[in-house]
Amino acid sequence: MNKVKIISWNANGIRTRMKNKDTDFIFESEPDIILFQETKAEYEQIDKKFLEECGYNYYFLKGESARTGGLATFTKESPKIVKSFFNESKDALRRTSVLEFNDFILIHIYAPAGTGNKAKLVEKLEFFDELLKLAKKFADKKVIIGGDFNIAHTENDIFDINTKVTFKEEERKVLDDLESLGYVDTLRLFNKDKIYSSWKNQEAKENNEGSRLDYFFVSKELVDNVKSSEILVDIDSSKHAPIELNLE
């Protein structure tokens, strides 16, 4: 397998991040694949000159509205297949892109937050039910699942274990179930400590009061190819830090 570098980031508005040049460091580091969540934009709204000159293929999924959701995937290699896994009835928010390459399958997700009311939590769990079905289908293949899961899995993934946000037992079980299928949380191959990728504000980040909501999972067939996995905690322009995965 050739070297592959992937960066994923909940950008909280990709046009703002680009306007402020916050995304420059990502493109300048020339990863093979870039995953953006919560873009709040369609490709028609992105600077056309940038798209023509960036050197990447790009695939956008529209969010729930102009103020929420949206995925953008940039790839140097052209995938063999690109699709939104769920149909409109199952995934009205269009939160999943599946890209099949020669060496692996990439599932790019931005999970619903599941907060506000019971219906939102049900929507989130239904999303993950479908994702787990897909993960099971592909479990014996080389698969990467990356993005914002909106779940803090363990006590080492959250500052306040008593919070009712992103740390509900039924949400955490989703990631237990994913691991039971043979998928591995790549960061935990290298770092077992408390570490976070999301904070409610800059003060919380400075006080190390956050949660880890952003993940790269790989199937058991890819574990031996993982060379590094980390959170780029020095990036401050979004409430989330980018995460990086390197394979070889």
Side-chain angles (χ1 to χ4, degrees), residues 196-221:
Y196 312 127
S197 66
S198 178
W199 305 264
K200 64 181 181 180
N201 53 43
Q202 185 61 32
E203 181 181 1
K205 184 174 183 180
E206 291 170 358
N207 293 332
N208 199 30
E209 299 174 353
S211 55
R212 186 165 74 103
L213 307 180
D214 307 272
Y215 300 80
F216 282 116
F217 280 88
V218 298
S219 61
K220 57 184 181 294
E221 298 296 326

Side-chain angles (χ1 to χ4, degrees), residues 109-128:
I109 75 166
Y110 173 42
T115 58
N117 55 53
K118 185 176 180 179
K120 292 292 185 182
L121 178 59
V122 169
E123 176 186 70
K124 181 176 186 176
L125 295 176
E126 288 179 345
F127 169 88
F128 278 112

Side-chain angles (χ1 to χ4, degrees), residues 27-39:
F27 287 97
E28 289 169 1
S29 68
E30 298 186 342
D32 298 281
I33 301 172
I34 307 170
L35 313 178
F36 290 113
Q37 304 90 48
E38 201 169 357
T39 57

Side-chain angles (χ1 to χ4, degrees), residues 82-124:
V82 182
K83 58 184 177 181
S84 175
F85 174 66
F86 303 125
N87 60 35
E88 289 294 334
S89 63
K90 283 285 187 183
D91 184 23
L93 308 187
R94 305 191 72 193
R95 291 176 175 266
T96 308
S97 288
V98 181
L99 300 93
E100 296 190 24
F101 297 91
N102 289 326
D103 291 334
F104 56 86
I105 297 169
L106 173 65
I107 303 173
H108 178 194
I109 75 166
Y110 173 42
T115 58
N117 55 53
K118 185 176 180 179
K120 292 292 185 182
L121 178 59
V122 169
E123 176 186 70
K124 181 176 186 176

Side-chain angles (χ1 to χ4, degrees), residues 120-142:
K120 292 292 185 182
L121 178 59
V122 169
E123 176 186 70
K124 181 176 186 176
L125 295 176
E126 288 179 345
F127 169 88
F128 278 112
D129 282 345
E130 296 299 323
L131 181 67
L132 287 170
K133 290 176 186 176
L134 182 62
K136 183 177 182 179
K137 176 182 176 181
F138 289 154
D140 62 346
K141 300 181 182 296
K142 293 183 176 181

